[in-house]
Coordinates of all heavy atoms in Angstrom, one line a residue:
A13 N 0.8 -1.2 0.0 CA 0.0 0.0 0.0 C 0.9 1.2 0.0 O 0.7 2.2 0.8 CB -0.9 0.0 1.2
M14 N 1.8 1.3 -0.9 CA 2.8 2.3 -0.9 C 2.3 3.7 -1.0 O 2.8 4.6 -0.3 CB 3.8 2.1 -2.1 CG 4.9 3.1 -2.1 SD 6.0 2.8 -3.6 CE 6.9 1.5 -3.0
F15 N 1.3 4.0 -1.8 CA 0.8 5.3 -2.0 C -0.6 5.5 -1.4 O -1.3 6.5 -1.6 CB 0.8 5.7 -3.5 CG 2.2 5.7 -4.1 CD1 2.6 4.7 -4.8 CD2 3.0 6.8 -3.8 CE1 3.9 4.7 -5.4 CE2 4.3 6.8 -4.4 CZ 4.7 5.8 -5.1
R16 N -1.1 4.5 -0.7 CA -2.5 4.5 -0.2 C -2.8 5.8 0.6 O -2.0 6.2 1.4 CB -2.7 3.3 0.7 CG -4.1 3.2 1.2 CD -4.4 1.9 1.9 NE -5.8 1.8 2.3 CZ -6.2 1.3 3.4 NH1 -5.3 0.8 4.3 NH2 -7.4 1.2 3.7
C17 N -3.9 6.4 0.3 CA -4.4 7.6 1.0 C -3.5 8.8 0.7 O -3.5 9.8 1.5 CB -4.5 7.4 2.5 SG -5.8 6.1 2.8
C18 N -2.7 8.9 -0.3 CA -1.9 10.0 -0.6 C -2.8 11.0 -1.4 O -2.7 11.2 -2.6 CB -0.7 9.7 -1.5 SG 0.6 8.8 -0.5
C19 N -3.6 11.7 -0.7 CA -4.6 12.5 -1.3 C -4.1 13.8 -2.0 O -4.7 14.4 -2.8 CB -5.7 12.9 -0.3 SG -6.6 11.5 0.3
S20 N -2.8 14.1 -1.6 CA -2.2 15.3 -2.2 C -1.7 15.1 -3.6 O -1.4 16.0 -4.4 CB -1.1 15.9 -1.3 OG -0.1 15.0 -1.2
L21 N -1.5 13.8 -4.0 CA -1.0 13.5 -5.3 C -2.0 13.7 -6.4 O -3.2 13.3 -6.3 CB -0.6 12.0 -5.4 CG 0.6 11.5 -4.6 CD1 0.8 10.0 -4.7 CD2 1.9 12.2 -5.2
T22 N -1.6 14.4 -7.5 CA -2.4 14.6 -8.6 C -1.9 13.8 -9.9 O -2.6 13.4 -10.7 CB -2.6 16.0 -9.0 OG1 -1.3 16.6 -9.2 CG2 -3.3 16.8 -7.9
E23 N -0.6 13.7 -9.9 CA 0.1 12.9 -10.9 C 1.2 12.1 -10.3 O 1.8 12.5 -9.3 CB 0.8 13.8 -11.9 CG -0.1 14.7 -12.8 CD 0.6 15.6 -13.7 OE1 1.8 15.4 -13.9 OE2 0.0 16.4 -14.4
L24 N 1.5 10.9 -10.9 CA 2.5 10.0 -10.3 C 3.3 9.3 -11.4 O 2.6 8.8 -12.3 CB 1.9 9.0 -9.4 CG 2.8 8.1 -8.6 CD1 3.7 8.9 -7.7 CD2 1.9 7.1 -7.8
D25 N 4.6 9.4 -11.4 CA 5.4 8.7 -12.4 C 6.2 7.6 -11.7 O 7.2 7.9 -10.9 CB 6.3 9.7 -13.1 CG 7.2 9.1 -14.2 OD1 7.2 7.8 -14.3 OD2 7.8 9.8 -14.9
V26 N 5.8 6.4 -11.8 CA 6.6 5.2 -11.2 C 7.2 4.4 -12.3 O 7.6 3.3 -12.1 CB 5.6 4.4 -10.4 CG1 5.2 5.1 -9.2 CG2 4.5 3.8 -11.2
S27 N 7.4 5.1 -13.5 CA 8.0 4.3 -14.7 C 9.4 3.9 -14.5 O 9.8 3.0 -15.2 CB 7.9 5.2 -15.9 OG 8.6 6.4 -15.8
H28 N 10.1 4.4 -13.5 CA 11.5 4.0 -13.3 C 11.6 3.1 -12.1 O 12.8 2.8 -11.7 CB 12.4 5.3 -13.1 CG 12.4 6.1 -14.4 ND1 13.0 5.7 -15.5 CD2 11.9 7.3 -14.6 CE1 12.8 6.6 -16.5 NE2 12.1 7.6 -15.9
F29 N 10.5 2.7 -11.5 CA 10.6 1.8 -10.3 C 11.0 0.4 -10.8 O 10.5 0.0 -11.8 CB 9.2 1.7 -9.6 CG 8.9 2.9 -8.7 CD1 9.4 4.2 -8.9 CD2 8.1 2.7 -7.6 CE1 9.1 5.2 -8.1 CE2 7.8 3.7 -6.8 CZ 8.3 5.0 -7.0
D30 N 11.8 -0.3 -10.1 CA 12.1 -1.7 -10.4 C 11.1 -2.5 -9.7 O 11.1 -2.7 -8.5 CB 13.5 -2.0 -9.9 CG 13.9 -3.5 -10.1 OD1 13.1 -4.2 -10.7 OD2 15.0 -3.9 -9.7
T31 N 10.2 -3.1 -10.5 CA 9.1 -3.9 -10.0 C 9.2 -5.4 -10.3 O 8.3 -6.1 -10.2 CB 7.7 -3.4 -10.5 OG1 7.8 -3.4 -11.9 CG2 7.4 -2.0 -10.0
S32 N 10.4 -5.7 -10.7 CA 10.7 -7.1 -11.2 C 10.5 -8.2 -10.2 O 10.2 -9.3 -10.5 CB 12.1 -7.2 -11.8 OG 13.0 -6.9 -10.9
N33 N 10.5 -7.8 -8.9 CA 10.3 -8.8 -7.8 C 9.1 -8.6 -7.0 O 8.9 -9.2 -5.9 CB 11.5 -8.9 -6.9 CG 12.7 -9.5 -7.7 OD1 12.6 -10.6 -8.2 ND2 13.8 -8.9 -7.7
V34 N 8.2 -7.6 -7.4 CA 7.0 -7.3 -6.7 C 6.0 -8.4 -6.9 O 5.7 -8.8 -8.0 CB 6.4 -6.0 -7.2 CG1 5.1 -5.7 -6.5 CG2 7.4 -4.8 -6.9
V35 N 5.4 -8.9 -5.8 CA 4.4 -10.0 -5.8 C 3.0 -9.4 -5.5 O 2.1 -9.8 -6.0 CB 4.8 -11.1 -4.8 CG1 3.7 -12.1 -4.7 CG2 6.1 -11.7 -5.1
S36 N 3.0 -8.4 -4.6 CA 1.7 -7.9 -4.2 C 1.7 -6.4 -4.4 O 2.6 -5.7 -4.0 CB 1.4 -8.2 -2.7 OG 0.2 -7.5 -2.3
M37 N 0.6 -5.9 -5.0 CA 0.4 -4.5 -5.2 C -1.0 -4.1 -4.5 O -1.6 -3.2 -4.9 CB 0.4 -4.1 -6.7 CG 1.7 -4.3 -7.3 SD 1.9 -3.6 -8.9 CE 1.8 -1.8 -8.5
W38 N -1.3 -4.8 -3.5 CA -2.5 -4.7 -2.7 C -2.7 -3.3 -2.2 O -1.8 -2.7 -1.6 CB -2.4 -5.7 -1.5 CG -3.5 -5.8 -0.6 CD1 -4.7 -6.5 -0.9 CD2 -3.6 -5.4 0.7 NE1 -5.5 -6.4 0.2 CE2 -4.8 -5.8 1.2 CE3 -2.7 -4.7 1.5 CZ2 -5.2 -5.5 2.5 CZ3 -3.1 -4.4 2.8 CH2 -4.4 -4.8 3.3
Y39 N -3.8 -2.6 -2.6 CA -4.1 -1.2 -2.1 C -3.1 -0.2 -2.6 O -3.1 0.9 -2.1 CB -4.2 -1.2 -0.6 CG -5.6 -1.6 -0.1 CD1 -5.7 -2.8 0.6 CD2 -6.7 -0.7 -0.1 CE1 -6.9 -3.1 1.1 CE2 -7.9 -1.1 0.4 CZ -8.0 -2.3 1.0 OH -9.2 -2.6 1.6
T40 N -2.2 -0.4 -3.5 CA -1.1 0.5 -3.8 C -1.6 1.9 -4.1 O -1.0 2.9 -3.6 CB -0.3 0.0 -5.0 OG1 0.2 -1.3 -4.7 CG2 0.9 0.9 -5.3
F41 N -2.6 2.1 -4.9 CA -3.0 3.5 -5.3 C -4.4 3.8 -4.8 O -5.0 4.8 -5.2 CB -3.0 3.6 -6.8 CG -1.7 3.3 -7.4 CD1 -1.6 2.1 -8.2 CD2 -0.5 4.0 -7.2 CE1 -0.3 1.8 -8.8 CE2 0.7 3.7 -7.8 CZ 0.8 2.6 -8.6
S42 N -4.9 3.0 -3.9 CA -6.3 3.2 -3.3 C -6.4 4.4 -2.5 O -5.4 4.8 -1.8 CB -6.7 1.9 -2.6 OG -5.9 1.8 -1.4
F43 N -7.5 5.0 -2.5 CA -7.8 6.2 -1.7 C -7.0 7.4 -2.1 O -6.9 8.4 -1.3 CB -7.8 5.9 -0.2 CG -8.8 4.9 0.2 CD1 -8.3 3.6 0.4 CD2 -10.1 5.2 0.4 CE1 -9.3 2.6 0.7 CE2 -11.0 4.2 0.8 CZ -10.6 2.9 0.9
C44 N -6.4 7.4 -3.2 CA -5.6 8.6 -3.7 C -6.6 9.4 -4.6 O -6.6 9.4 -5.8 CB -4.4 8.2 -4.6 SG -3.2 7.3 -3.7
S45 N -7.6 10.0 -3.9 CA -8.7 10.6 -4.6 C -8.4 11.7 -5.6 O -9.2 11.9 -6.5 CB -9.7 11.1 -3.5 OG -9.1 12.0 -2.6
N46 N -7.3 12.4 -5.4 CA -6.9 13.5 -6.3 C -6.0 13.0 -7.4 O -5.6 13.8 -8.3 CB -6.3 14.6 -5.6 CG -7.4 15.3 -4.7 OD1 -8.5 15.6 -5.2 ND2 -7.1 15.6 -3.5
L47 N -5.5 11.8 -7.4 CA -4.6 11.2 -8.4 C -5.4 11.1 -9.7 O -6.3 10.3 -9.8 CB -4.0 9.9 -7.9 CG -3.0 9.2 -8.8 CD1 -1.8 10.1 -9.1 CD2 -2.6 7.9 -8.2
K48 N -5.0 11.8 -10.7 CA -5.7 11.8 -12.0 C -4.9 11.0 -13.1 O -5.4 10.4 -13.9 CB -6.0 13.2 -12.5 CG -6.8 14.0 -11.6 CD -8.2 13.4 -11.3 CE -9.0 14.2 -10.4 NZ -9.9 13.5 -9.6
T49 N -3.5 11.1 -13.1 CA -2.7 10.5 -14.1 C -1.6 9.7 -13.4 O -0.9 10.2 -12.5 CB -2.1 11.6 -15.0 OG1 -3.2 12.4 -15.6 CG2 -1.3 11.0 -16.1
I50 N -1.4 8.5 -13.9 CA -0.3 7.7 -13.4 C 0.5 7.2 -14.6 O -0.1 6.7 -15.6 CB -0.8 6.6 -12.5 CG1 0.4 5.8 -11.9 CG2 -1.7 5.7 -13.2 CD1 0.0 4.9 -10.7
N51 N 1.8 7.3 -14.5 CA 2.7 6.7 -15.6 C 3.4 5.5 -15.0 O 4.2 5.5 -14.2 CB 3.8 7.8 -15.9 CG 4.7 7.3 -17.1 OD1 4.6 6.2 -17.5 ND2 5.5 8.2 -17.6
L52 N 3.0 4.3 -15.6 CA 3.5 3.0 -15.2 C 4.7 2.7 -16.1 O 5.4 1.7 -15.9 CB 2.5 1.9 -15.2 CG 1.3 2.2 -14.3 CD1 0.3 1.0 -14.5 CD2 1.7 2.3 -12.9
G53 N 4.8 3.4 -17.2 CA 5.9 3.1 -18.2 C 5.8 1.7 -18.7 O 4.7 1.3 -19.1
N54 N 6.9 1.0 -18.7 CA 6.9 -0.4 -19.1 C 7.0 -1.3 -17.9 O 7.8 -2.3 -17.8 CB 8.1 -0.7 -20.0 CG 7.8 -0.1 -21.4 OD1 6.8 -0.3 -22.0 ND2 8.7 0.8 -21.9
M55 N 6.2 -1.0 -16.9 CA 6.3 -1.8 -15.6 C 6.3 -3.3 -15.8 O 5.5 -3.8 -16.6 CB 5.1 -1.4 -14.7 CG 5.0 -2.2 -13.4 SD 3.5 -1.7 -12.5 CE 4.2 -0.3 -11.6
N56 N 7.2 -3.9 -15.1 CA 7.3 -5.4 -15.1 C 6.3 -5.9 -14.1 O 6.6 -5.8 -12.9 CB 8.7 -5.8 -14.9 CG 8.9 -7.3 -14.9 OD1 7.9 -8.1 -14.8 ND2 10.1 -7.8 -15.0
S57 N 5.2 -6.5 -14.5 CA 4.2 -7.1 -13.6 C 4.2 -8.6 -13.6 O 3.3 -9.2 -13.1 CB 2.8 -6.6 -13.9 OG 2.5 -7.0 -15.2
E58 N 5.3 -9.2 -14.1 CA 5.3 -10.6 -14.3 C 5.1 -11.4 -13.0 O 4.4 -12.4 -13.0 CB 6.7 -11.0 -14.9 CG 6.8 -12.4 -15.3 CD 8.1 -12.7 -16.0 OE1 8.7 -11.9 -16.7 OE2 8.7 -13.8 -15.8
K59 N 5.7 -11.0 -11.9 CA 5.5 -11.7 -10.6 C 4.4 -11.3 -9.8 O 4.1 -11.9 -8.7 CB 6.8 -11.6 -9.9 CG 8.0 -12.3 -10.6 CD 9.2 -12.3 -9.7 CE 10.4 -13.0 -10.4 NZ 11.6 -12.9 -9.7
V60 N 3.7 -10.2 -10.2 CA 2.6 -9.7 -9.4 C 1.4 -10.7 -9.4 O 1.0 -11.1 -10.4 CB 2.1 -8.3 -9.9 CG1 0.9 -7.9 -9.1 CG2 3.2 -7.3 -9.8
E61 N 1.0 -11.1 -8.1 CA -0.1 -12.0 -8.0 C -1.3 -11.4 -7.4 O -2.4 -11.8 -7.6 CB 0.4 -13.2 -7.1 CG 1.5 -14.0 -7.7 CD 2.1 -15.0 -6.7 OE1 1.5 -15.1 -5.6 OE2 3.0 -15.7 -7.1
D62 N -1.1 -10.3 -6.6 CA -2.3 -9.7 -5.8 C -2.4 -8.3 -6.2 O -1.5 -7.5 -5.9 CB -2.0 -9.9 -4.3 CG -3.2 -9.4 -3.5 OD1 -4.2 -9.0 -4.1 OD2 -3.2 -9.5 -2.3
I63 N -3.5 -7.9 -6.9 CA -3.8 -6.5 -7.2 C -5.1 -6.1 -6.5 O -5.7 -5.2 -7.0 CB -3.8 -6.3 -8.7 CG1 -4.9 -7.2 -9.4 CG2 -2.5 -6.5 -9.4 CD1 -5.2 -6.8 -10.8
T64 N -5.4 -6.7 -5.5 CA -6.7 -6.4 -4.7 C -6.7 -5.0 -4.4 O -5.8 -4.4 -3.8 CB -6.7 -7.3 -3.4 OG1 -6.6 -8.7 -3.8 CG2 -8.0 -7.1 -2.7
Y65 N -7.8 -4.3 -4.8 CA -8.1 -2.9 -4.5 C -7.0 -2.0 -5.0 O -6.7 -0.9 -4.4 CB -8.3 -2.7 -3.0 CG -9.4 -3.6 -2.4 CD1 -9.1 -4.4 -1.4 CD2 -10.7 -3.6 -3.0 CE1 -10.1 -5.2 -0.8 CE2 -11.7 -4.4 -2.4 CZ -11.4 -5.2 -1.4 OH -12.4 -6.0 -0.9
L66 N -6.3 -2.4 -6.0 CA -5.2 -1.6 -6.6 C -5.5 -0.1 -6.8 O -4.8 0.8 -6.4 CB -4.7 -2.2 -7.9 CG -3.5 -1.5 -8.6 CD1 -2.3 -1.6 -7.8 CD2 -3.3 -2.2 -10.0
F67 N -6.7 0.2 -7.4 CA -7.1 1.5 -7.7 C -8.4 1.9 -6.9 O -9.1 2.9 -7.3 CB -7.4 1.7 -9.2 CG -6.1 1.6 -10.0 CD1 -5.8 0.5 -10.8 CD2 -5.2 2.7 -10.0 CE1 -4.7 0.4 -11.5 CE2 -4.0 2.6 -10.8 CZ -3.8 1.5 -11.5
Q68 N -8.8 1.2 -5.9 CA -10.0 1.4 -5.2 C -10.1 2.8 -4.7 O -9.2 3.3 -4.0 CB -10.2 0.4 -4.1 CG -11.6 0.6 -3.4 CD -11.8 -0.3 -2.2 OE1 -10.8 -0.6 -1.5 NE2 -13.0 -0.7 -1.9
Y69 N -11.2 3.5 -5.0 CA -11.4 4.9 -4.5 C -10.3 5.9 -4.9 O -10.1 6.8 -4.2 CB -11.7 5.0 -3.0 CG -12.9 4.1 -2.6 CD1 -12.7 3.1 -1.7 CD2 -14.2 4.4 -3.1 CE1 -13.8 2.3 -1.3 CE2 -15.2 3.6 -2.7 CZ -15.0 2.5 -1.8 OH -16.1 1.8 -1.5
S70 N -9.6 5.6 -6.0 CA -8.7 6.5 -6.5 C -9.3 7.4 -7.6 O -10.4 7.0 -8.1 CB -7.5 5.8 -7.1 OG -7.8 5.3 -8.4
G71 N -8.8 8.5 -7.9 CA -9.3 9.4 -8.9 C -8.7 9.2 -10.3 O -8.9 10.0 -11.2
V72 N -7.9 8.1 -10.4 CA -7.2 7.9 -11.7 C -8.1 7.8 -12.9 O -9.2 7.1 -12.9 CB -6.4 6.5 -11.6 CG1 -5.8 6.2 -12.9 CG2 -5.3 6.6 -10.5
Q73 N -7.8 8.6 -13.9 CA -8.5 8.7 -15.1 C -7.6 8.3 -16.3 O -8.1 7.7 -17.2 CB -9.0 10.1 -15.4 CG -10.0 10.6 -14.3 CD -10.3 12.0 -14.4 OE1 -9.8 12.8 -15.2 NE2 -11.2 12.5 -13.5
T74 N -6.3 8.7 -16.2 CA -5.4 8.4 -17.3 C -4.2 7.6 -16.8 O -3.6 7.9 -15.8 CB -4.9 9.7 -17.9 OG1 -6.0 10.5 -18.4 CG2 -4.0 9.5 -19.1
V75 N -3.9 6.5 -17.6 CA -2.8 5.6 -17.3 C -1.9 5.6 -18.5 O -2.4 5.3 -19.6 CB -3.3 4.2 -16.9 CG1 -2.1 3.3 -16.7 CG2 -4.1 4.3 -15.7
I76 N -0.6 5.8 -18.3 CA 0.4 5.7 -19.3 C 1.1 4.4 -19.1 O 1.7 4.2 -18.0 CB 1.4 6.9 -19.3 CG1 0.6 8.2 -19.4 CG2 2.5 6.7 -20.3 CD1 1.4 9.4 -19.1
C77 N 1.0 3.5 -20.0 CA 1.7 2.2 -19.9 C 2.0 1.6 -21.2 O 1.1 1.5 -22.1 CB 0.7 1.2 -19.1 SG 1.5 -0.4 -18.7
G78 N 3.2 1.1 -21.4 CA 3.6 0.5 -22.6 C 3.7 -1.0 -22.6 O 4.1 -1.6 -23.6
N79 N 3.5 -1.6 -21.5 CA 3.6 -3.1 -21.3 C 2.2 -3.8 -21.4 O 1.4 -3.6 -20.6 CB 4.2 -3.4 -20.0 CG 4.5 -4.9 -19.8 OD1 3.8 -5.7 -20.2 ND2 5.6 -5.2 -19.1
E80 N 2.0 -4.5 -22.5 CA 0.7 -5.1 -22.8 C 0.3 -6.1 -21.7 O -0.8 -6.2 -21.4 CB 0.7 -5.8 -24.2 CG 0.8 -4.8 -25.3 CD -0.3 -3.8 -25.4 OE1 -1.5 -4.2 -25.2 OE2 0.0 -2.6 -25.7
A81 N 1.3 -6.8 -21.2 CA 1.0 -7.8 -20.1 C 0.4 -7.1 -18.9 O -0.5 -7.6 -18.2 CB 2.2 -8.6 -19.8
T82 N 1.0 -5.9 -18.5 CA 0.6 -5.2 -17.4 C -0.8 -4.6 -17.6 O -1.7 -4.6 -16.8 CB 1.6 -4.1 -17.0 OG1 2.8 -4.7 -16.7 CG2 1.1 -3.2 -15.9
I83 N -1.0 -4.1 -18.8 CA -2.3 -3.5 -19.2 C -3.4 -4.6 -19.0 O -4.4 -4.3 -18.4 CB -2.3 -3.0 -20.7 CG1 -1.4 -1.8 -20.8 CG2 -3.7 -2.7 -21.2 CD1 -1.1 -1.4 -22.2
E84 N -3.2 -5.8 -19.5 CA -4.1 -6.9 -19.3 C -4.3 -7.3 -17.9 O -5.4 -7.4 -17.4 CB -3.7 -8.1 -20.2 CG -4.7 -9.2 -20.2 CD -4.3 -10.3 -21.1 OE1 -3.7 -10.0 -22.2 OE2 -4.6 -11.5 -20.7
K85 N -3.2 -7.5 -17.2 CA -3.2 -8.0 -15.8 C -3.9 -7.1 -14.8 O -4.7 -7.5 -14.0 CB -1.8 -8.3 -15.3 CG -1.8 -8.9 -13.9 CD -0.4 -9.2 -13.4 CE 0.0 -10.6 -13.9 NZ 1.3 -11.0 -13.3
F86 N -3.7 -5.8 -15.0 CA -4.3 -4.8 -14.1 C -5.6 -4.3 -14.6 O -6.3 -3.5 -14.0 CB -3.3 -3.6 -14.0 CG -2.1 -3.9 -13.2 CD1 -1.1 -2.9 -13.2 CD2 -1.8 -5.1 -12.6 CE1 0.1 -3.1 -12.5 CE2 -0.6 -5.3 -12.0 CZ 0.3 -4.4 -11.9
G87 N -6.1 -4.7 -15.8 CA -7.4 -4.3 -16.3 C -7.4 -2.8 -16.7 O -8.4 -2.1 -16.4
L88 N -6.3 -2.3 -17.2 CA -6.1 -0.9 -17.5 C -6.9 -0.4 -18.6 O -7.0 0.8 -18.8 CB -4.6 -0.5 -17.7 CG -3.7 -0.9 -16.5 CD1 -2.3 -0.5 -16.8 CD2 -4.2 -0.2 -15.2
E89 N -7.6 -1.3 -19.4 CA -8.4 -0.8 -20.5 C -9.5 0.1 -20.1 O -10.0 0.9 -20.9 CB -9.0 -2.0 -21.3 CG -7.9 -3.0 -21.8 CD -7.5 -4.1 -20.8 OE1 -8.0 -4.1 -19.7 OE2 -6.7 -4.9 -21.2
R90 N -9.9 0.0 -18.9 CA -11.1 0.8 -18.4 C -10.7 2.3 -18.2 O -11.6 3.2 -18.0 CB -11.6 0.3 -17.1 CG -10.7 0.4 -15.9 CD -11.4 -0.2 -14.7 NE -10.6 0.0 -13.5 CZ -9.8 -0.9 -12.9 NH1 -9.8 -2.2 -13.4 NH2 -9.1 -0.7 -11.8
F91 N -9.4 2.6 -18.2 CA -8.9 4.0 -18.1 C -8.7 4.6 -19.5 O -8.6 3.9 -20.5 CB -7.7 4.1 -17.3 CG -7.8 3.6 -15.9 CD1 -7.4 2.3 -15.5 CD2 -8.5 4.3 -14.9 CE1 -7.5 1.8 -14.2 CE2 -8.7 3.8 -13.6 CZ -8.2 2.6 -13.3
N92 N -8.5 5.9 -19.5 CA -8.0 6.6 -20.7 C -6.5 6.1 -20.8 O -5.7 6.5 -20.0 CB -8.0 8.1 -20.6 CG -7.4 8.8 -21.7 OD1 -7.3 8.3 -22.8 ND2 -7.0 10.1 -21.5
L93 N -6.2 5.2 -21.7 CA -5.0 4.5 -21.8 C -4.1 5.1 -22.9 O -4.5 5.2 -24.0 CB -5.2 3.1 -22.0 CG -4.0 2.1 -22.0 CD1 -3.3 2.1 -20.7 CD2 -4.4 0.7 -22.4
I94 N -2.9 5.6 -22.4 CA -1.9 6.1 -23.4 C -0.7 5.1 -23.4 O -0.1 4.8 -22.4 CB -1.4 7.5 -22.9 CG1 -2.5 8.5 -22.9 CG2 -0.3 7.9 -23.9 CD1 -2.2 9.8 -22.3
R95 N -0.5 4.5 -24.6 CA 0.6 3.5 -24.7 C 1.9 4.1 -25.2 O 2.0 5.0 -25.9 CB 0.1 2.4 -25.7 CG -1.1 1.7 -25.1 CD -1.7 0.8 -26.2 NE -3.0 0.4 -25.7 CZ -3.4 -0.8 -25.6 NH1 -2.6 -1.8 -25.8 NH2 -4.6 -1.1 -25.2

C-alpha cells in the first residue's frame, strides 16, 4: 500500500521503479482521490499475484503504460490509456 491515501498526489510517475520482484500491489494506489494521471511506463508485472483494491477509490482517469501484459493483468483498458 505504498501510496495509499496520498490525497495530495495529482500525478505520479513510477515508470522508473524496479518492480521485477514485486508480488503484491495490494491497495497500492487506493484512496488517492486526487490522483488523475499515473505513468507506469513499461512496468514489469510478471511476478505480481495480488492486485486487490489496486485503484479502489482513486481518482485515476489516465494511465500511461507500454507493457501489454501489465495492461491486461491490471485491467487498465477501463482508463484513458496512453501507450
Side-chain angles (χ1 to χ4, degrees):
M14 182 181 284
F15 297 102
R16 184 174 184 216
C17 297
C18 289
C19 294
S20 61
L21 288 175
T22 58
E23 295 181 7
L24 184 61
D25 183 347
V26 294
S27 62
H28 298 291
F29 281 31
D30 179 1
T31 56
S32 59
N33 290 309
V34 173
V35 177
S36 176
M37 294 191 69
W38 184 74
Y39 276 106
T40 302
F41 307 110
S42 63
F43 299 98
C44 297
S45 55
N46 292 314
L47 182 60
K48 302 298 180 210
T49 303
I50 185 166
N51 184 350
L52 301 176
N54 287 308
M55 175 181 276
N56 179 344
S57 62
E58 188 175 326
K59 294 184 181 177
V60 176
E61 296 174 2
D62 186 359
I63 58 166
T64 306
Y65 306 123
L66 181 64
F67 293 105
Q68 185 184 31
Y69 302 117
S70 76
V72 174
Q73 298 169 357
T74 302
V75 177
I76 301 165
C77 185
N79 185 322
E80 293 300 319
T82 297
I83 291 168
E84 186 177 323
K85 183 177 274 189
F86 293 173
L88 300 178
E89 300 88 358
R90 68 179 185 255
F91 299 104
N92 176 25
L93 186 60
I94 299 171
R95 297 171 195 236

